[in-house]
Amino acid sequence: MEMTIRWYGKGFDSVSLNNIRQIPGVKGVITTLYDSVPGKAWEKEAIKQIKKDVADEGMKIAGIESVNIHDDIKIGNGRRDEYIENYIKTLERLGQEDIHMVCYNFMPVFDWTRSELARKRPDGSTVLAYNQSAIDAVKPEEMFNNLDKSSNGFILPGWEPERMAHVK
C-alpha cells in the first residue's frame, strides 16, 4: 500500500507539495486539473506539467480525483457524444503519462455536497462534514453562496461559477 494525500494543485490548494512531501510516509498525491473545463479533453502539456510539478518534489501522481463529466453526458443532451469522446481522449492521455487510476465521479448536477467545509475537530484539525438536516434547511438558490463564503477563496470542483448560471 502506498500512502498518498489529496492535493488540489498549484493555485488551488493552500498546502504546497513541499509541505506534503514532509509528511512521513507520503509518497504521492491524488490530484486533478482544476482549471479544466468539463467536456473538454485535457491537453497533454497540462498533464505533463502537473506530473512534473509533483515529480520535482520527489513524489508521483497516484491517481486523478475525477475528470469532470459534462452535464450533457449526465442528462443525455445534444453534444453528449462529443463530450464522451473528449472524456475517452483524456483517459487515454492520462494512461500515456502512466497515470492509470481515475476516481469515477458521475454525480448528477453537483459533484458533491457538504454542510461544512471546515468543521473543527477536538485536536484543532478541520474536516469536511455532512449533516442532512442542515442540507435540508438550505434553499437551493442560496447553496452556492453559502459554500462560496466558506471556501476560503478557492474554487470548489463541481461548484464553478460558470456552472451556477445554468443551475436554475
Side-chain angles (χ1 to χ4, degrees):
M1 179 184 287
E2 186 174 273
M3 191 158 146
T4 62
I5 195 166
R6 182 80 157 91
W7 180 60
Y8 293 93
K10 276 186 184 175
F12 298 97
D13 200 321
S14 59
V15 179
S16 70
L17 286 169
N18 183 276
N19 295 136
I20 292 170
R21 184 178 48 79
Q22 297 175 51
I23 300 169
V26 173
K27 303 292 183 207
V29 295
I30 304 292
T31 191
T32 196
L33 295 178
Y34 285 103
D35 54 354
S36 64
V37 176
K40 187 174 182 208
W42 290 10
E43 297 297 328
K44 291 178 185 180
E45 295 75 27
I47 296 167
K48 287 180 183 193
Q49 184 61 55
I50 196 168
K51 186 177 174 187
K52 180 184 181 318
D53 291 344
V54 172
D56 285 351
E57 289 294 336
M59 295 180 293
K60 70 176 195 170
I61 294 176
I64 298 296
E65 168 90 17
S66 192
V67 173
N68 283 337
I69 297 171
H70 194 279
D71 290 336
D72 278 8
I73 296 172
K74 296 175 186 179
I75 60 176
N77 268 356
R79 294 178 66 188
R80 171 191 70 202
D81 292 341
E82 172 190 347
Y83 295 134
I84 290 171
E85 285 303 314
N86 288 344
Y87 189 85
I88 292 167
K89 193 178 296 182
T90 297
L91 294 178
E92 289 172 342
R93 290 175 178 171
L94 287 167
Q96 290 162 2
E97 288 302 315
D98 201 28
I99 301 170
H100 301 288
M101 196 275 290
V102 175
C103 299
Y104 182 67
N105 190 344
F106 199 81
M107 296 174 207
V109 186
F110 301 112
D111 284 351
W112 55 274
T113 302
R114 298 293 183 273
S115 55
E116 295 174 67
L117 299 180
R119 176 181 285 174
K120 256 213 200 283
R121 304 287 299 155
D123 67 358
S125 63
T126 59
V127 296
L128 296 172
Y130 184 89
N131 178 306
Q132 185 64 50
S133 60
I135 296 299
D136 290 343
V138 174
K139 294 179 183 166
E141 60 273 7
E142 295 174 5
M143 199 167 208
F144 174 74
N145 291 335
N146 292 344
L147 280 170
D148 190 44
K149 285 178 192 171
S150 61
S151 70
N152 203 21
F154 291 100
I155 293 173
L156 303 170
W159 292 86
E160 297 84 359
E162 62 274 8
R163 289 190 77 213
M164 296 302 102
H166 303 286
V167 169
K168 292 180 185 172

